[in-house]
Amino acid sequence: MNKADMDMIDFKSLEAELRDRLSRIDRWRRVVRALSVVVYLLVFAWLLFVLLGGMVLARLGWEDYDMLPRVIVPVFIGLVLLSFLLSYSLITFQNQECAAMRSVMQALFPQVSFSFSSEVDSGLLAGSRLFTASYGDPALGVDGYGEIELGYGNDRLHVADVGISYGWMNRWQAHPVLGYVVFAYRFVLRPVFAWRTESSAHNFRGMFGWCRTERRYEGDILVLPDHLEDKAGYLAGNIQALRQRFNTRLVKLEDPEFERRFVVYADSEVAARMVLTPAMMRRMSELRDAMGRDLMFSFSKGDFYYAASMPEGFLRLRPGRLQEGKMLEGLYKDIRLACRVADELRVNKLFADKA
């Protein structure tokens, strides 16, 4: 990122102008967080009572079942009221955050097209090969939380804030019994620990970008964070499936710094080496270090895709850094770098003067 461009923006003045607004959003965020923890814990307790309550009461020797309605009904009414308050608070928080984010984007990136209403086609995600590893997987579930668009016609670059669900939960949610387990996990347990309540049902929340390129690639080339092979969780269990699904093979390259950060799978080792030149690998390593996040890249036919996990949201405000005076500066850095990935890797140079 060009430091001169950042020096032209008075982040402190802009943040001072928005401070009251951002502080109000932060308060709503805390209200939503507190209510979500209370509501989802109560819902979880309610589910346990429905499933196991009769057995527990029988073991305790409870015989006065006439008292149950007098206990359950007030609890149920309280849960309904708290759920209404959570829904109202969440809607208010989201509306205020979206309005503030539009103002921020207009101030920081007046030259780009920005929308909260754009929807990312699940076919794009499947085409990237970054989020699916089997022909038998059901269609990816995706929710869009905003999108940036640069360029014109077929030469457009898109960078979106997405929430994606995939894998075993998608397969099991249609099961007549296991579907209840998936529902309880996604919509009762995960919201208690998630960064954002509305994205807690997803396996992946973060930045996803894509564009056409001036060249076509032979087969598929996947560049993934190296540590994903060693950890349970995202894609770790899918490495073997990737090989079987796409006939990909591990490609070892002669760049220690690159291989410390990434692992490469490709249909053709020759094609992978043609794309991942020493200069390309160096630029990928620099991008990963500049963003401070794990990055994933995919080259497929004439398309280039990339993604980074951001549980707090990509096109969302981060009021936690408001007191440090670094919130807008950090947001600017993330968005600018995300918009320049294709240009930095020289796969498309059409956007150098746009972001």
mmCIF file of all heavy atoms in Angstrom, residues 290-312:
data_model
loop_
_atom_site.group_PDB
_atom_site.id
_atom_site.type_symbol
_atom_site.label_atom_id
_atom_site.label_comp_id
_atom_site.label_asym_id
_atom_site.label_seq_id
_atom_site.Cartn_x
_atom_site.Cartn_y
_atom_site.Cartn_z
ATOM 1 N N ALA A 290 1.613 -8.156 4.723
ATOM 2 C CA ALA A 290 1.018 -6.819 4.786
ATOM 3 C C ALA A 290 -0.384 -6.863 5.387
ATOM 4 O O ALA A 290 -0.759 -5.990 6.170
ATOM 5 C CB ALA A 290 0.972 -6.197 3.392
ATOM 6 N N MET A 291 -1.159 -7.890 5.050
ATOM 7 C CA MET A 291 -2.516 -8.000 5.569
ATOM 8 C C MET A 291 -2.537 -8.574 6.984
ATOM 9 O O MET A 291 -3.496 -8.362 7.729
ATOM 10 C CB MET A 291 -3.387 -8.860 4.647
ATOM 11 C CG MET A 291 -3.642 -8.241 3.297
ATOM 12 S SD MET A 291 -5.058 -8.959 2.419
ATOM 13 C CE MET A 291 -6.427 -8.265 3.360
ATOM 14 N N GLY A 292 -1.499 -9.319 7.338
ATOM 15 C CA GLY A 292 -1.467 -9.899 8.670
ATOM 16 C C GLY A 292 -2.511 -10.979 8.868
ATOM 17 O O GLY A 292 -2.910 -11.264 10.003
ATOM 18 N N ARG A 293 -2.960 -11.596 7.784
ATOM 19 C CA ARG A 293 -3.981 -12.647 7.833
ATOM 20 C C ARG A 293 -3.611 -13.752 6.859
ATOM 21 O O ARG A 293 -2.914 -13.514 5.869
ATOM 22 C CB ARG A 293 -5.362 -12.106 7.447
ATOM 23 C CG ARG A 293 -5.845 -10.946 8.297
ATOM 24 C CD ARG A 293 -7.145 -10.394 7.727
ATOM 25 N NE ARG A 293 -7.589 -9.213 8.441
ATOM 26 C CZ ARG A 293 -8.350 -9.217 9.519
ATOM 27 N NH1 ARG A 293 -8.756 -10.377 10.010
ATOM 28 N NH2 ARG A 293 -8.718 -8.095 10.110
ATOM 29 N N ASP A 294 -4.114 -14.962 7.122
ATOM 30 C CA ASP A 294 -3.945 -16.036 6.153
ATOM 31 C C ASP A 294 -4.702 -15.710 4.875
ATOM 32 O O ASP A 294 -5.862 -15.302 4.917
ATOM 33 C CB ASP A 294 -4.461 -17.358 6.729
ATOM 34 C CG ASP A 294 -3.513 -17.950 7.743
ATOM 35 O OD1 ASP A 294 -2.302 -17.676 7.636
ATOM 36 O OD2 ASP A 294 -3.976 -18.670 8.644
ATOM 37 N N LEU A 295 -4.047 -15.900 3.734
ATOM 38 C CA LEU A 295 -4.663 -15.662 2.432
ATOM 39 C C LEU A 295 -4.730 -16.967 1.658
ATOM 40 O O LEU A 295 -3.870 -17.834 1.788
ATOM 41 C CB LEU A 295 -3.854 -14.640 1.629
ATOM 42 C CG LEU A 295 -3.895 -13.184 2.112
ATOM 43 C CD1 LEU A 295 -2.922 -12.341 1.312
ATOM 44 C CD2 LEU A 295 -5.297 -12.610 1.986
ATOM 45 N N MET A 296 -5.769 -17.097 0.845
ATOM 46 C CA MET A 296 -5.922 -18.235 -0.055
ATOM 47 C C MET A 296 -6.079 -17.695 -1.470
ATOM 48 O O MET A 296 -6.773 -16.702 -1.691
ATOM 49 C CB MET A 296 -7.160 -19.059 0.325
ATOM 50 C CG MET A 296 -7.143 -19.580 1.743
ATOM 51 S SD MET A 296 -8.657 -20.529 2.132
ATOM 52 C CE MET A 296 -9.864 -19.200 2.240
ATOM 53 N N PHE A 297 -5.437 -18.359 -2.434
ATOM 54 C CA PHE A 297 -5.510 -17.941 -3.824
ATOM 55 C C PHE A 297 -5.918 -19.133 -4.687
ATOM 56 O O PHE A 297 -5.594 -20.274 -4.371
ATOM 57 C CB PHE A 297 -4.157 -17.422 -4.316
ATOM 58 C CG PHE A 297 -3.572 -16.327 -3.489
ATOM 59 C CD1 PHE A 297 -2.615 -16.615 -2.519
ATOM 60 C CD2 PHE A 297 -3.949 -15.010 -3.672
ATOM 61 C CE1 PHE A 297 -2.058 -15.613 -1.744
ATOM 62 C CE2 PHE A 297 -3.398 -13.991 -2.902
ATOM 63 C CZ PHE A 297 -2.455 -14.294 -1.936
ATOM 64 N N SER A 298 -6.593 -18.825 -5.789
ATOM 65 C CA SER A 298 -7.005 -19.867 -6.717
ATOM 66 C C SER A 298 -6.942 -19.328 -8.143
ATOM 67 O O SER A 298 -7.424 -18.225 -8.424
ATOM 68 C CB SER A 298 -8.433 -20.326 -6.392
ATOM 69 O OG SER A 298 -8.936 -21.177 -7.406
ATOM 70 N N PHE A 299 -6.328 -20.113 -9.031
ATOM 71 C CA PHE A 299 -6.278 -19.801 -10.459
ATOM 72 C C PHE A 299 -7.023 -20.917 -11.183
ATOM 73 O O PHE A 299 -6.642 -22.089 -11.073
ATOM 74 C CB PHE A 299 -4.835 -19.739 -10.961
ATOM 75 C CG PHE A 299 -3.977 -18.742 -10.233
ATOM 76 C CD1 PHE A 299 -3.334 -19.097 -9.046
ATOM 77 C CD2 PHE A 299 -3.792 -17.466 -10.727
ATOM 78 C CE1 PHE A 299 -2.534 -18.196 -8.375
ATOM 79 C CE2 PHE A 299 -2.992 -16.544 -10.059
ATOM 80 C CZ PHE A 299 -2.366 -16.910 -8.868
ATOM 81 N N SER A 300 -8.074 -20.563 -11.904
ATOM 82 C CA SER A 300 -8.878 -21.568 -12.593
ATOM 83 C C SER A 300 -9.292 -21.043 -13.954
ATOM 84 O O SER A 300 -10.044 -20.062 -14.045
ATOM 85 C CB SER A 300 -10.125 -21.913 -11.770
ATOM 86 O OG SER A 300 -10.910 -22.896 -12.412
ATOM 87 N N LYS A 301 -8.791 -21.674 -15.004
ATOM 88 C CA LYS A 301 -9.077 -21.250 -16.377
ATOM 89 C C LYS A 301 -8.698 -19.785 -16.538
ATOM 90 O O LYS A 301 -7.554 -19.427 -16.381
ATOM 91 C CB LYS A 301 -10.524 -21.551 -16.734
ATOM 92 C CG LYS A 301 -10.849 -23.047 -16.638
ATOM 93 C CD LYS A 301 -12.289 -23.324 -16.989
ATOM 94 C CE LYS A 301 -12.562 -24.805 -17.024
ATOM 95 N NZ LYS A 301 -12.362 -25.452 -15.695
ATOM 96 N N GLY A 302 -9.653 -18.893 -16.790
ATOM 97 C CA GLY A 302 -9.319 -17.480 -16.962
ATOM 98 C C GLY A 302 -9.694 -16.627 -15.776
ATOM 99 O O GLY A 302 -9.810 -15.402 -15.896
ATOM 100 N N ASP A 303 -9.887 -17.255 -14.611
ATOM 101 C CA ASP A 303 -10.340 -16.517 -13.441
ATOM 102 C C ASP A 303 -9.330 -16.605 -12.301
ATOM 103 O O ASP A 303 -8.632 -17.603 -12.140
ATOM 104 C CB ASP A 303 -11.688 -17.075 -12.952
ATOM 105 C CG ASP A 303 -12.783 -16.927 -13.994
ATOM 106 O OD1 ASP A 303 -12.906 -15.833 -14.569
ATOM 107 O OD2 ASP A 303 -13.499 -17.912 -14.237
ATOM 108 N N PHE A 304 -9.317 -15.553 -11.512
ATOM 109 C CA PHE A 304 -8.462 -15.481 -10.325
ATOM 110 C C PHE A 304 -9.346 -15.197 -9.112
ATOM 111 O O PHE A 304 -10.214 -14.322 -9.153
ATOM 112 C CB PHE A 304 -7.430 -14.367 -10.488
ATOM 113 C CG PHE A 304 -6.645 -14.064 -9.242
ATOM 114 C CD1 PHE A 304 -5.840 -15.032 -8.663
ATOM 115 C CD2 PHE A 304 -6.715 -12.804 -8.645
ATOM 116 C CE1 PHE A 304 -5.119 -14.757 -7.507
ATOM 117 C CE2 PHE A 304 -6.003 -12.529 -7.498
ATOM 118 C CZ PHE A 304 -5.199 -13.499 -6.925
ATOM 119 N N TYR A 305 -9.146 -15.974 -8.048
ATOM 120 C CA TYR A 305 -9.936 -15.824 -6.830
ATOM 121 C C TYR A 305 -8.986 -15.708 -5.634
ATOM 122 O O TYR A 305 -7.881 -16.259 -5.649
ATOM 123 C CB TYR A 305 -10.837 -17.045 -6.595
ATOM 124 C CG TYR A 305 -11.712 -17.446 -7.754
ATOM 125 C CD1 TYR A 305 -11.256 -18.368 -8.706
ATOM 126 C CD2 TYR A 305 -12.999 -16.934 -7.898
ATOM 127 C CE1 TYR A 305 -12.058 -18.756 -9.761
ATOM 128 C CE2 TYR A 305 -13.815 -17.323 -8.949
ATOM 129 C CZ TYR A 305 -13.333 -18.237 -9.882
ATOM 130 O OH TYR A 305 -14.139 -18.630 -10.918
ATOM 131 N N TYR A 306 -9.449 -15.037 -4.604
ATOM 132 C CA TYR A 306 -8.671 -14.981 -3.368
ATOM 133 C C TYR A 306 -9.611 -14.737 -2.192
ATOM 134 O O TYR A 306 -10.729 -14.218 -2.352
ATOM 135 C CB TYR A 306 -7.593 -13.895 -3.431
ATOM 136 C CG TYR A 306 -8.083 -12.501 -3.773
ATOM 137 C CD1 TYR A 306 -8.322 -11.552 -2.774
ATOM 138 C CD2 TYR A 306 -8.286 -12.120 -5.101
ATOM 139 C CE1 TYR A 306 -8.749 -10.283 -3.081
ATOM 140 C CE2 TYR A 306 -8.716 -10.852 -5.418
ATOM 141 C CZ TYR A 306 -8.946 -9.927 -4.413
ATOM 142 O OH TYR A 306 -9.381 -8.662 -4.727
ATOM 143 N N ALA A 307 -9.171 -15.133 -1.004
ATOM 144 C CA ALA A 307 -10.034 -15.031 0.174
ATOM 145 C C ALA A 307 -9.180 -14.923 1.425
ATOM 146 O O ALA A 307 -8.022 -15.349 1.451
ATOM 147 C CB ALA A 307 -10.958 -16.241 0.271
ATOM 148 N N ALA A 308 -9.765 -14.338 2.474
ATOM 149 C CA ALA A 308 -9.119 -14.238 3.776
ATOM 150 C C ALA A 308 -10.185 -14.291 4.853
ATOM 151 O O ALA A 308 -11.225 -13.640 4.729
ATOM 152 C CB ALA A 308 -8.314 -12.942 3.896
ATOM 153 N N SER A 309 -9.946 -15.072 5.872
ATOM 154 C CA SER A 309 -10.878 -15.183 6.981
ATOM 155 C C SER A 309 -10.837 -13.926 7.841
ATOM 156 O O SER A 309 -9.759 -13.492 8.264
ATOM 157 C CB SER A 309 -10.546 -16.406 7.838
ATOM 158 O OG SER A 309 -11.391 -16.470 8.970
ATOM 159 N N MET A 310 -12.014 -13.327 8.080
ATOM 160 C CA MET A 310 -12.152 -12.152 8.944
ATOM 161 C C MET A 310 -13.420 -12.335 9.760
ATOM 162 O O MET A 310 -14.494 -11.890 9.351
ATOM 163 C CB MET A 310 -12.224 -10.871 8.117
ATOM 164 C CG MET A 310 -10.996 -10.563 7.297
ATOM 165 S SD MET A 310 -11.160 -9.008 6.379
ATOM 166 C CE MET A 310 -9.568 -8.898 5.566
ATOM 167 N N PRO A 311 -13.356 -13.016 10.891
ATOM 168 C CA PRO A 311 -14.564 -13.298 11.686
ATOM 169 C C PRO A 311 -15.333 -12.050 12.093
ATOM 170 O O PRO A 311 -16.546 -12.105 12.290
ATOM 171 C CB PRO A 311 -14.013 -14.030 12.909
ATOM 172 C CG PRO A 311 -12.703 -14.595 12.462
ATOM 173 C CD PRO A 311 -12.149 -13.609 11.488
ATOM 174 N N GLU A 312 -14.622 -10.914 12.213
ATOM 175 C CA GLU A 312 -15.295 -9.677 12.605
ATOM 176 C C GLU A 312 -15.994 -9.001 11.429
ATOM 177 O O GLU A 312 -16.699 -8.006 11.610
ATOM 178 C CB GLU A 312 -14.281 -8.705 13.221
ATOM 179 C CG GLU A 312 -13.284 -8.094 12.247
ATOM 180 C CD GLU A 312 -12.085 -8.976 11.937
ATOM 181 O OE1 GLU A 312 -12.147 -10.185 12.230
ATOM 182 O OE2 GLU A 312 -11.087 -8.462 11.398
#
